[in-house]
């Protein structure tokens, strides 16, 4: 998602402006967020204290229109890809996308230590084998050709294709375990 | 194998084969995986989720194992069929969250199923009868290696496989067994068991998931670690924990067949008599009574009964199964009646055979 102010950079910050209990949400890039925050004389509440939101909605403030105007800004951590805020993540305990892991990264160590006793991954390494995928695509194509040749009773050609399919399975190392 | 014909077969993972089937009904391994190119299902709009569904549906056929597998779109399923597939462990209740864009693929023998657009894009599960943890573990990782060719997975070198829920982050792997532990229940050893499992980071719950009762003394016992261990270590530790649990179940059974033997035999004979003669029976009661028969078979009594038959009694006695068997929408009382007659017929047929 792009910054709502400049429209140029990725929005990595969610600013919640609270004026007399009304919330206005802005998704901004780091630079624009700084600018907006500086324009407001109230102390900036940083991402470490997202629960400040609750404190603002005290019944006294909402019911009584006579209180002096309050205006403050809450800065939240937001995933630039899917727009999920860290605050929402803490409530639902569900990430919104793979990039959330990067966006919330600094807070995750503690979370994972809490949940799993450690934050270190020790499992297998994944890397997609593109060559194997190309072989699979070729195999799929050969299989549809095979059907046609069999329907046309061109058995010699069909046999050739079957051989090539066997070769592919061998290359994939799948002959014995499809 | 369409849904209609499933009712005519017993899933391979309930065949009663494998190690210790009287103690461990089945073993399961499941993986949570996501496609790198899409946000997780909760952050996708309907069109994008539909796109994920189509990509998986179309590409998975490239893997020979899935060439003849059945694909089902959840939105095309009736209420009854949804319930039926949940009872059959082919899908989960969570798959209904995005019902319009969710799907599942299962192999003919029902040992492998892939859920699409549940909490994660993919949930891959492999099941087997009896205690067969290494078998399901190897099969699920083999399938994973193949599916990982079809699209790039969401993977981070530091955190491993990225999943919607942080409890799955890392390996995304969960191993579990469905264990039948009447000895531990009857000798009141459930609490110490629960305490041990918490220390080992192993979870336990009833047959129907979180908060469900321990119907028929059946427990789902599952791993919870996904960080800090390798796949192999997770398997070995869990295997050791399961061995210990089974050992305490065997000890408990020794107690039951010692001093308490007449009490136990009374309960067992009453259970069999009730199942053979009841005219109305609920699923709860069925599960409880079948548990005594399973215990009896495990102790070497009732040589005429097969574990497979007891598995079938449990599976087909569930509400949606009874309705599919008798091909109609039944109210609870009619269900109790049909269930009772199904069980009577089944036990009579078994007695004839032997
Ligand atoms: Zn900006
Ligand atoms: Zn995100």
């Amino acid at each position: 998602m792009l910054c709502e102010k400049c429209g140029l950079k990725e929005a990595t910050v969610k600013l919640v402006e609270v004026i007399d209990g009304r919330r206005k949400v802005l998704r901004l890039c780091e630079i624009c967020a700084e600018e907006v925050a500086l324009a407001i004389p109230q102390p900036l509440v940083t991402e470490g204290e997202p629960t400040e939101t609750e404190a603002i909605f005290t019944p006294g403030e909402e019911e009584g229109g006579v209180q002096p105007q309050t205006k403050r800004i809450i800065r939240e951590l937001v995933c630039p890809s899917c727009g999920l805020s860290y605050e929402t993540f803490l409530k639902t305990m569900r990430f919104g996308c793979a990039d959330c892991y990067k966006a919330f990264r600094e807070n995750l160590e503690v979370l994972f230590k809490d949940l799993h006793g450690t934050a270190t991954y020790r499992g297998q390494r994944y890397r997609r084998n593109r060559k194997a995928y190309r072989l699979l695509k070729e195999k799929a194509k050969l299989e549809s050709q095979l059907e046609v040749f069999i329907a046309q009773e061109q058995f010699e050609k069909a046999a050739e294709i079957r051989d090539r399919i066997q070769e592919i399975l061998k290359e994939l190392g799948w002959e014995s375990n499809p | 194998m369409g849904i209609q014909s499933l009712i005519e077969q017993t899933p391979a993972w309930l065949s009663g084969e494998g190690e210790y089937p009287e103690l461990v009904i089945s073993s399961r391994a499941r993986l949570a995986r996501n496609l790198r190119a899409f946000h997780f299902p909760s952050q996708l709009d309907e069109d994008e989720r539909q796109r994920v569904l189509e990509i998986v549906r179309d590409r998975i056929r490239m893997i020979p194992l899935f060439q003849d597998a059945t694909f089902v779109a959840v939105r095309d399923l009736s209420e009854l069929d949804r319930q039926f597939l949940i009872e059959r462990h082919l899908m989960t209740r969570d798959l209904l969250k995005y019902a319009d864009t969710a799907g599942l693929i299962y192999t003919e023998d029902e040992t492998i199923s892939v859920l699409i657009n549940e909490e994660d894009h993919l949930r891959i599960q492999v099941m087997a009868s009896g205690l067969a943890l290494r078998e399901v573990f190897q099969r699920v990782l083999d399938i994973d290696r193949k599916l990982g060719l079809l699209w790039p997975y969401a993977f981070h070198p530091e955190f491993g496989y990225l999943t919607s829920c942080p409890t799955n982050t890392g390996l995304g792997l969960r191993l579990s067994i469905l264990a039948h532990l009447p000895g531990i229940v009857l000798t009141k050893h459930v609490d110490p068991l629960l305490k041990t499992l918490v220390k080992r980071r192993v979870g336990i719950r009833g047959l129907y998931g979180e908060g469900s009762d321990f119907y028929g003394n059946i427990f789902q016992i599952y791993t919870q670690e996904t960080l800090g261990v390798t796949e192999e270590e997770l398997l070995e530790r869990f295997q050791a924990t399961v061995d210990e649990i089974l050992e305490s179940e065997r000890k408990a059974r020794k107690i039951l067949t010692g001093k308490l033997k007449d009490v136990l035999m009374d309960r067992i004979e009453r259970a069999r008599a009730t199942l053979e003669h009841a005219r109305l029976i609920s699923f709860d009661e069925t599960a409880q009574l079948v548990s005594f028969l399973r215990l009896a078979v495990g102790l070497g009594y009732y040589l005429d009964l097969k574990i497979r038959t007891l598995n079938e009694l449990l599976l087909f006695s569930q509400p949606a199964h009874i309705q599919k068997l008798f091909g109609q929408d039944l109210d609870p009382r009619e269900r109790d009646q049909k269930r009772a007659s199904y069980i009577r017929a089944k036990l009579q047929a078994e007695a004839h055979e032997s």
Side-chain angles (χ1 to χ4, degrees), chain B residues 178-190:
Chain B
L178 267 187
H180 177 241
L181 308 174
I184 289 176
V185 175
L186 293 171
T187 57
K188 306 229 180 331
H189 280 79
V190 174

Side-chain angles (χ1 to χ4, degrees), chain B residues 82-340:
Chain B
R82 291 175 186 193
Q83 185 57 40
F84 172 69
L85 292 172
I86 292 169
E87 287 178 359
R88 235 171 152 88
H89 292 221
L90 283 177
M91 66 181 254
T92 57
R93 201 158 290 288
D94 284 346
L95 196 66
L96 301 177
K97 191 161 177 197
Y98 311 114
D100 281 346
T101 50
L104 86 141
I105 295 159
Y106 57 85
T107 55
E108 192 171 342
D109 64 359
E110 301 177 53
T111 55
I112 301 169
S113 74
V114 177
L115 313 189
I116 310 161
N117 284 330
E118 202 219 43
E119 183 180 287
D120 297 296
H121 295 141
L122 297 175
R123 290 291 177 96
I124 308 158
Q125 70 163 12
V126 175
M127 295 188 283
S129 177
L131 181 61
L133 285 169
R134 182 164 293 277
E135 178 193 329
V136 291
F137 170 87
Q138 279 170 344
R139 282 189 91 191
V140 87
L141 290 179
D142 178 60
I143 294 167
D144 182 47
R145 270 188 292 277
K146 289 168 179 166
L147 296 190
L149 302 173
L150 302 179
W151 39 67
Y153 278 146
F155 181 85
H156 187 282
E158 196 187 351
F159 296 124
Y161 292 93
L162 306 180
T163 55
S164 165
C165 184
T167 57
N168 289 318
T169 303
L171 302 178
L173 171 64
R174 171 171 282 182
L175 300 171
S176 64
I177 56 165
L178 267 187
H180 177 241
L181 308 174
I184 289 176
V185 175
L186 293 171
T187 57
K188 306 229 180 331
H189 280 79
V190 174
D191 282 345
L193 171 68
L194 297 185
K195 275 189 201 121
T196 314
L197 294 186
V198 169
K199 272 187 236 144
R200 309 270 176 91
R201 293 181 185 272
V202 166
I204 185 165
R205 58 192 186 189
L207 184 54
Y208 292 102
E210 223 96 48
S212 68
D213 285 342
F214 299 127
Y215 280 106
N217 304 319
I218 294 171
F219 299 79
Q220 274 189 66
I221 299 172
Y222 53 94
T223 62
Q224 291 175 306
E225 286 169 295
T226 55
L227 285 168
V229 285
T230 66
E231 288 85 355
E232 184 65 33
E233 285 167 355
L234 183 76
L235 172 67
E236 278 167 20
R237 282 192 212 178
F238 188 53
Q239 182 75 58
T241 303
V242 168
D243 288 344
E244 261 180 67
I245 296 170
L246 299 187
E247 209 33 57
S248 17
E249 172 64 20
R250 290 189 192 100
K251 273 192 200 140
R253 290 181 180 198
K254 281 232 175 72
I255 298 173
L256 291 178
T257 49
K259 265 196 224 150
L260 298 169
K261 188 164 178 188
D262 51 344
V263 181
L264 178 69
M265 285 317 290
D266 179 66
R267 300 280 295 269
I268 289 172
E269 294 287 9
R270 281 166 186 270
R272 182 159 193 170
T274 305
L275 288 168
E276 278 173 347
H277 299 286
R279 289 295 191 258
L280 290 173
I281 193 164
S282 68
F283 175 67
D284 275 29
E285 191 182 356
T286 305
Q288 246 176 309
L289 298 176
V290 168
S291 171
F292 279 104
L293 297 196
R294 190 185 295 273
L295 175 59
V297 173
L299 293 171
Y301 317 138
Y302 287 161
L303 298 174
D304 57 328
L305 280 179
K306 290 197 281 288
I307 289 292
R308 182 194 175 98
T309 307
L310 301 179
N311 286 348
E312 287 168 345
L313 284 183
L314 266 192
L315 177 74
F316 288 98
S317 286
Q318 296 176 97
H321 272 74
I322 283 294
Q323 294 183 71
K324 294 285 280 185
L325 269 183
F326 292 91
Q328 50 199 306
D329 274 341
L330 304 173
D331 65 38
R333 194 199 154 97
E334 290 170 320
R335 256 184 263 155
D336 287 355
Q337 193 225 324
K338 297 287 187 198
R339 183 179 292 114

Side-chain angles (χ1 to χ4, degrees), chain A residues 3-10 28-33:
Chain A
C3 170
E4 289 177 39
K5 192 152 176 258
C6 66
L8 294 173
K9 295 212 186 101
E10 288 273 23
L28 305 170
C29 71
E30 197 65 40
I31 296 166
C32 296

Side-chain angles (χ1 to χ4, degrees), chain A residues 95 101 105 120 122 125-126 128, chain B residues 148 157-158 163-164 169 228:
Chain A
F95 292 105
Y101 282 83
R105 199 202 145 103
T120 315
R122 293 187 50 232
R125 300 275 135 199
Y126 168 73
R128 187 182 180 211
Chain B
E158 196 187 351
T163 55
S164 165
T169 303

Side-chain angles (χ1 to χ4, degrees), chain A:
Chain A
M1 183 180 187
L2 290 176
C3 170
E4 289 177 39
K5 192 152 176 258
C6 66
L8 294 173
K9 295 212 186 101
E10 288 273 23
T12 55
V13 177
K14 177 172 151 195
L15 276 188
V16 186
E17 203 176 347
V18 186
I19 305 164
D20 281 345
R22 270 179 295 115
R23 276 166 69 105
K24 194 175 140 198
V25 177
L26 282 172
R27 288 170 198 279
L28 305 170
C29 71
E30 197 65 40
I31 296 166
C32 296
E34 264 327 288
E35 247 178 61
V36 171
L38 283 174
I40 290 162
Q42 257 69 31
L44 188 72
V45 183
T46 52
E47 63 199 47
E49 313 158 273
T51 43
E52 282 289 322
T53 323
E54 310 309 324
I56 287 151
F57 293 108
T58 53
E61 264 181 345
E62 265 188 60
E63 287 157 22
V66 288
Q67 261 109 354
Q69 198 195 52
T70 57
K71 180 170 178 176
R72 47 192 329 194
I73 284 195
I74 296 153
R75 194 184 144 130
E76 286 174 3
L77 206 54
V78 162
C79 168
S81 290
C82 73
L84 185 81
S85 73
Y86 186 64
E87 195 186 5
T88 309
F89 167 71
L90 285 181
K91 272 185 213 139
T92 60
M93 267 300 143
R94 294 294 184 276
F95 292 105
C97 75
D99 293 328
C100 289
Y101 282 83
K102 279 184 218 143
F104 308 153
R105 199 202 145 103
E106 302 205 338
N107 306 309
L108 293 184
E109 184 122 354
V110 178
L111 174 79
F112 285 137
K113 280 194 175 149
D114 221 38
L115 285 171
H116 298 282
T118 166
T120 315
Y121 176 66
R122 293 187 50 232
Q124 63 186 15
R125 300 275 135 199
Y126 168 73
R127 225 176 127 244
R128 187 182 180 211
N129 182 341
R130 290 185 158 277
K131 191 183 157 228
Y133 180 59
R134 273 197 297 277
L135 285 173
L136 274 179
K137 280 218 290 208
E138 192 191 334
K139 180 173 153 290
K141 214 161 122 195
L142 290 169
E143 275 159 354
S144 48
Q145 282 174 8
L146 184 63
E147 274 177 38
V148 175
F149 285 137
I150 290 173
Q152 295 171 347
E153 301 188 7
Q154 300 197 50
F155 298 116
E156 259 169 55
K157 280 187 176 160
E160 267 171 45
I161 287 186
R162 266 200 207 98
D163 287 347
R164 176 63 193 137
I165 291 174
Q166 282 312 309
E167 270 172 44
I168 290 179
L169 285 172
K170 211 179 268 174
E171 272 182 77
L172 288 165
W174 291 7
E175 322 106 280
S176 53
N177 173 26

